[in-house]
């Protein structure tokens, strides 16, 4: 098993810097997910690891070897593309065996590798078909199979599930997770979908505009985000952000009729009078919390297992509340939304977390 | 009411199409009939089959070294097509896969040259060939046609539909650029190539003006030159001319029918 090290890795297209110095350590066998909004540089970073884009600055180590200038085929990686990128003129079998055939491996070894991959992914009946005769999900499995056959040290996935419908996406997500269990190989997986990131990753790398915002285990990012961006990106529905002003151990909320909530226990509390952003997750509102906000419900959505209520105070900012016992909620209803002050997060004006 | 109208409309459409079909098919029919008639009959406008086919064929082969002429045309058309496709598809691939500001400018200049008629560069080209002492050689025919701007443009456009991720996948599978071109691009783009083969082969086979100027001795003449010289003699034997014309038409028809399906695919976008 092989780990990776990125040291101040940069990429520029002409004058435009797209990757602005990324430092990252990936342990052997780890499942790492790059997540971030579209255009933030996830694919570019992945393609730099693959050797498909030149690295403008910094060092890339795969295992113990500096790989900046090594051929893609020599890096011990295999990649699965969003468009699957199966060779249309070859059968599934030929597609999967192509790299080995090209490397002049003996025929029986190729056959064994292809059959083994076909077994893992249940592709047996499809081996003699061409890509155009396969469904999207099947193509994706073949693309993964092609990667497996090469027995890489590191798997690279670039939004592999984005072209599938919702149901198939969930199914394939589980397949990928199972695959990682079975092969125990290092995987780097790019997605813009935070649910995919949360469910698959050992470690999530949240990126924005070519910069790594935070690296951590999924629940760490959920419970303890470093900044507004990560707090807003991880979690669905999105965290509520309320403008506030610090006044005597409490935060006054001008948008909510100047109600205030307790500041909570902070190692470095903000100065009196400073402006802060208060973050409360929709699911943090629970009966019996020690703090509360008086709100009027405007819209209610029932999903069956849980309900979302959109509430505010007299024309102010709208809050999202998620609750499992919200079937009785009605639009127009006045409520006292209770929550545990320990679950409130504070961010300073630059978006950094106040701890 | 509207049904009558629709019927009248489709009647008109069919009448129009029939007329167009007649106009395009009748000359072929006349050509075939002509091969079986004597020159006087043809001039009289006889459009039924006659019995002079054998005489016409014998006369043609007596007047012209048809084997040599046919070989000349075939050689030029096939070698020209292969070279043109090889060079121009490589160029189209490169323009699309390795874009840069400079290359875009070069490409724009290339496109501009499309608007220069051949007649305008004929004389300088001839002088150039003369200086290279290539007059009356096949090289003089092949050389100027190999880098076809139109075919480069055609391949560049077609390459836009070639998925770039295929190239990336091939790189990861260990292929060098030329191997990607040969083992991935070429087979994936075969419809594009088929359409280009038809276009280039026909253009080469029917090429007239430039061979007329450059090829000067009889043993180098091509079929188009022979047909035209037969037809423009003082007393043209139209039966013989028609036999030569049929021979001149056959190869393009064969090539077209062999590649017809791919031709249509190639023009409508080949990557699937
Ligand atoms: N070849 C290129 N030339 C110039 N800019 C590029 C090129 N490829 C990508 N970019 C830019 O790099 C940024 C990151 O792109 P990408 O890595 O594809 O984002 P993501 O995968 O996160 O959606 C984008 O702003 C994109 O416009
Ligand atoms: Mg991307």
């Amino acid at each position: 098993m092989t780990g990776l090290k990125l040291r101040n890795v940069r990429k520029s297209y002409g004058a435009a810097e797209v990757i602005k110095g990324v430092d990252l350590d990936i342990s052997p066998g780890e499942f790492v997910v790059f997540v971030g909004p579209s255009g933030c540089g996830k694919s570019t970073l992945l393609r730099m690891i693959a050797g498909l884009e030149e690295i403008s600055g910094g060092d890339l180590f795969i295992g113990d070897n500096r790989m900046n200038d090594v051929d893609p085929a020599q890096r011990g990686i295999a990649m699965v593309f969003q468009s699957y990128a199966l060779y249309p003129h070859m059968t599934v079998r030929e597609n999967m065996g192509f790299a080995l055939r090209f490397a002049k491996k003996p025929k029986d070894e190729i056959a064994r590798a292809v059959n083994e991959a076909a077994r893992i992914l249940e592709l047996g009946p499809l081996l003699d078909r061409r890509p155009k005769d396969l469904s999207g999900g099947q193509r994706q499995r073949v693309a993964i199979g092609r990667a497996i056959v090469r027995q890489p040290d590191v798997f690279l996935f670039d939004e592999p599930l984005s072209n599938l419908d919702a149901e198939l996406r969930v199914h394939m997500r589980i397949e990928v997770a199972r695959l990682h269990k079975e092969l125990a190989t290092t995987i780097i997986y790019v997605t813009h979908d935070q649910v995919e990131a949360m469910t698959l990753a050992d470690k999530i790398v949240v990126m924005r505009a070519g910069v790594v915002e935070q690296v951590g285990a999924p629940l760490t990012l959920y419970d303890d985000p470093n900044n507004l961006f990560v707090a807003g990106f991880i979690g669905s529905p999105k965290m509520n952000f309320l403008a506030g002003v610090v006044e005597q151990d409490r935060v006054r909320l001008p948008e909510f009729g100047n109600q205030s909530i307790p500041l909570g226990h902070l190692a470095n509390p903000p100065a009196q009078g400073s402006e802060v952003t208060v973050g409360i997750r929709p699911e943090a509102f629970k009966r019996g919390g020690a703090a509360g906000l008086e709100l009027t419900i405007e819209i209610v959505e029932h999903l069956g297992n849980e309900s979302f209520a959109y509430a505010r105070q007299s024309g102010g900012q709208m809050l999202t509340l998620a609750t499992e016992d919200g079937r009785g909620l009605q639009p127009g209803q006045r409520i006292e939304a209770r929550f545990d002050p320990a679950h409130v997060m504070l961010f300073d004006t630059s978006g950094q977390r106040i701890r | 009411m509207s049904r009558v109208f629709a019927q009248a409309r489709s009647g008109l459409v069919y009448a129009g199409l029939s007329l167009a079909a007649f106009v395009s098919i009748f000359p072929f029919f006349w050509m075939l009939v002509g091969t079986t008639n004597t020159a006087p009959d043809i001039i009289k406008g006889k459009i039924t089959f006659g019995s002079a086919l054998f005489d016409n064929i014998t006369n043609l082969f007596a007047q012209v070294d048809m084997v040599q002429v046919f070989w000349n045309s075939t050689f030029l058309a096939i070698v020209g097509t292969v070279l043109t496709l090889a060079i121009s598809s490589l160029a189209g691939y490169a323009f699309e896969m390795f874009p840069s500001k400079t290359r875009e400018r070069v490409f724009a200049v290339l496109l501009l040259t499309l608007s220069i008629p051949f007649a305008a560069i004929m004389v300088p080209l001839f002088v150039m060939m003369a200086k290279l002492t290539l007059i009356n050689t096949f090289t003089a025919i092949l050389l100027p046609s190999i880098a076809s701007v139109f075919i480069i443009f055609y391949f560049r456009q077609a390459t836009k539909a070639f998925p770039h991720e295929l190239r990336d996948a091939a790189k990861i599978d260990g292929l060098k650029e030329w191997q990607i071109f040969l083992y991935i691009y070429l087979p994936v783009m075969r419809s594009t190539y088929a359409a280009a083969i038809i276009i280039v082969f026909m253009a080469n086979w029917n090429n007239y003006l430039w061979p007329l100027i450059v090829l000067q001795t009889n043993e180098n003449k091509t079929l188009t030159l022979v047909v035209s010289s037969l037809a423009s003699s003082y007393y043209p034997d139209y039966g013989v001319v028609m036999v030569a014309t049929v021979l001149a038409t056959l190869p393009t028809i064969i090539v077209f029918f062999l590649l017809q399906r791919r031709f249509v695919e190639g023009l409508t976008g080949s990557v699937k």
Side-chain angles (χ1 to χ4, degrees):
Chain A
M1 286 199 288
T2 311
L4 289 93
K5 272 203 303 259
L6 280 69
R7 289 290 171 266
N8 196 22
V9 165
R10 292 171 181 278
K11 174 76 188 177
S12 312
Y13 291 108
E17 193 165 46
V18 174
I19 300 294
K20 300 168 185 167
V22 168
D23 289 294
L24 191 62
D25 285 281
I26 296 172
S27 318
E30 204 167 26
F31 197 131
V32 175
V33 175
F34 294 173
V35 71
S38 188
C40 70
K42 311 177 293 286
S43 297
T44 305
L45 188 57
L46 192 75
R47 292 167 57 82
M48 287 159 77
I49 294 172
L52 296 171
E53 300 283 352
E54 250 175 70
I55 297 173
S56 312
D59 300 301
L60 164 71
F61 296 91
I62 302 179
D64 296 324
N65 307 311
R66 188 173 182 275
M67 291 288 192
N68 284 44
D69 306 310
V70 177
D71 234 36
Q74 310 301 322
R75 294 189 182 196
I77 51 106
M79 187 154 169
V80 176
F81 297 88
Q82 180 175 356
S83 67
Y84 320 132
L86 300 175
Y87 307 123
H89 57 299
M90 298 181 199
T91 63
V92 167
R93 191 192 305 277
E94 289 164 344
N95 260 289
M96 299 212 298
F98 186 65
L100 298 189
R101 198 153 49 94
F102 203 78
K104 304 245 161 29
K105 289 271 164 33
K107 276 213 172 63
D108 55 331
E109 188 186 326
I110 300 174
R112 213 176 320 119
V114 170
N115 288 334
E116 172 65 6
R119 183 191 63 75
I120 294 174
L121 292 162
E122 293 160 14
L123 288 170
L126 308 178
L127 281 177
D128 292 311
R129 295 213 201 151
R130 285 184 197 273
K132 70 169 162 33
D133 301 322
L134 301 177
S135 70
Q138 290 170 331
R139 284 181 207 184
Q140 189 56 75
R141 291 224 302 281
V142 174
I144 295 173
R146 180 170 67 177
I148 292 178
V149 168
R150 304 191 51 220
Q151 299 193 320
D153 301 321
V154 183
F155 281 104
L156 308 178
F157 289 83
D158 192 356
E159 309 227 6
L161 310 185
S162 307
N163 287 354
L164 303 177
D165 62 49
E167 197 179 334
L168 206 50
R169 198 150 57 215
V170 173
H171 177 76
M172 285 305 295
R173 199 172 76 203
I174 295 166
E175 288 277 286
V176 171
R178 185 176 64 89
L179 197 71
H180 183 237
K181 260 212 170 68
E182 182 156 347
L183 302 175
T185 312
T186 311
I187 294 183
I188 305 178
Y189 185 108
V190 164
T191 179
H192 64 266
D193 177 8
Q194 59 99 14
V195 177
E196 256 172 52
M198 292 294 284
T199 51
L200 286 172
D202 295 324
K203 184 154 95 186
I204 296 181
V205 178
V206 183
M207 293 180 64
R208 176 169 63 159
V211 174
V212 171
E213 291 283 338
Q214 191 173 357
V215 179
L219 292 181
T220 309
L221 297 191
Y222 177 86
D223 292 333
D224 197 15
N226 280 346
N227 53 47
L228 264 180
F229 178 76
V230 175
F233 196 83
I234 302 287
S236 171
K238 211 168 146 9
M239 184 185 276
N240 295 299
F241 293 123
L242 297 66
V245 181
V246 178
E247 281 171 8
Q248 293 139 22
D249 289 349
R250 292 183 77 81
V251 185
R252 182 171 59 82
L253 305 170
E255 286 268 327
F256 294 85
N258 284 323
Q259 300 180 72
S260 68
I261 59 172
L263 200 49
H265 302 288
L266 295 171
N268 301 300
Q272 294 296 317
S274 59
E275 288 181 13
V276 293
T277 302
V278 176
I280 312 178
R281 291 202 183 275
E283 53 274 25
F285 292 99
K286 289 221 162 63
R287 275 178 215 290
L293 279 175
E294 283 185 15
L295 300 167
T296 307
I297 296 179
E298 299 222 336
I299 297 166
V300 186
E301 293 173 345
H302 297 297
L303 303 185
N305 62 332
E306 66 180 333
S307 304
F308 298 144
Y310 301 93
R312 60 179 170 181
Q313 206 185 45
S314 58
Q317 188 196 345
M318 193 82 89
L319 286 190
T320 310
L321 287 68
T323 166
E324 282 170 10
D325 58 357
R327 291 202 175 197
L329 295 176
Q330 296 290 337
Q333 192 180 340
R334 295 183 63 83
I335 55 164
E336 161 111 82
R338 309 294 307 180
F339 56 91
D340 180 350
H343 288 154
V344 171
M345 299 175 197
L346 288 189
F347 302 90
D348 64 22
T349 43
S350 68
Q352 290 307 304
R353 176 84 179 278
I354 303 169
R355 287 197 169 97
Chain B
M1 171 61 200
S2 76
R3 215 169 72 205
V4 175
F5 188 72
Q7 275 177 354
R9 220 179 82 140
S10 74
L12 271 179
V13 167
Y14 276 107
L17 287 176
S18 305
L19 186 69
F22 178 77
V23 169
S24 36
I25 290 170
F26 183 72
F28 281 97
F29 173 72
W30 203 2
M31 173 180 81
L32 287 177
V33 168
T35 60
T36 66
N37 284 319
T38 61
D41 277 347
I42 295 172
I43 290 164
K44 269 185 261 166
K46 178 165 179 281
I47 51 165
T48 52
F49 287 98
S51 56
L53 176 61
F54 189 71
D55 287 343
N56 286 338
I57 294 177
T58 340
N59 282 342
L60 174 65
F61 279 77
Q63 287 174 39
V64 189
D65 183 356
M66 274 311 279
V67 177
Q68 180 69 46
V69 167
F70 206 83
W71 165 250
N72 291 347
S73 273
T74 310
F75 177 85
L76 283 175
I78 291 181
V79 174
T81 305
V82 170
L83 290 178
T84 306
L85 284 202
I87 300 297
S88 302
S89 70
L90 269 170
Y93 177 86
F95 272 119
E96 186 57 28
M97 289 297 181
F98 310 101
S100 78
K101 286 223 174 71
T102 321
R103 270 184 279 266
E104 289 307 319
R105 273 186 219 122
V106 172
F107 192 70
V109 172
L110 282 182
L111 284 188
L112 269 181
T113 64
L114 276 178
S115 62
I116 303 172
F118 179 69
I121 61 165
M122 200 162 67
V123 172
L125 198 58
F126 185 86
V127 173
M128 203 164 113
M129 290 300 155
K131 287 208 171 124
L132 295 169
T133 63
L134 289 175
I135 298 300
N136 201 29
T137 64
F138 285 170
T139 314
I141 303 289
L142 294 173
L143 214 49
S145 73
I146 290 175
S148 156
V149 175
F150 175 72
I151 297 298
I152 293 173
F153 173 72
Y154 171 67
F155 268 97
R156 180 178 189 174
Q157 287 308 112
T159 306
K160 287 187 198 297
F162 179 80
H164 285 220
E165 288 193 340
L166 276 186
R167 180 161 163 256
D168 295 334
K171 273 189 198 163
I172 289 178
D173 278 347
L175 280 75
K176 302 266 178 297
E177 197 71 49
W178 67 269
Q179 292 166 321
I180 295 172
F181 184 83
L182 213 57
Y183 299 135
I184 309 293
Y185 179 83
L186 215 145
V188 169
M189 304 296 279
R190 57 191 185 279
S191 302
T192 304
Y193 276 91
I197 286 175
I198 292 181
I199 294 167
V200 176
F201 183 88
M202 282 200 192
N204 286 350
W205 182 267
N206 295 329
N207 199 0
Y208 174 70
L209 190 52
W210 183 238
L212 177 69
I213 299 168
V214 176
L215 300 178
Q216 297 175 335
T217 56
N218 271 337
E219 73 271 12
N220 277 345
K221 296 260 146 127
T222 61
L223 206 44
T224 36
L225 298 181
V226 166
V227 170
S228 125
S229 76
L230 285 174
S232 56
S233 63
Y234 200 67
Y235 290 114
D237 184 336
Y238 285 115
V240 171
V241 173
M242 285 306 144
V243 173
T245 311
V246 168
L247 285 177
T249 315
L250 269 182
T252 36
I253 291 180
I254 291 172
V255 169
F256 184 81
F257 278 107
L258 282 180
L259 299 173
Q260 183 190 27
R261 195 169 61 89
R262 297 241 172 260
F263 180 69
V264 176
E265 280 174 17
L267 291 185
T268 52
S270 63
V271 182
K272 182 71 218 312

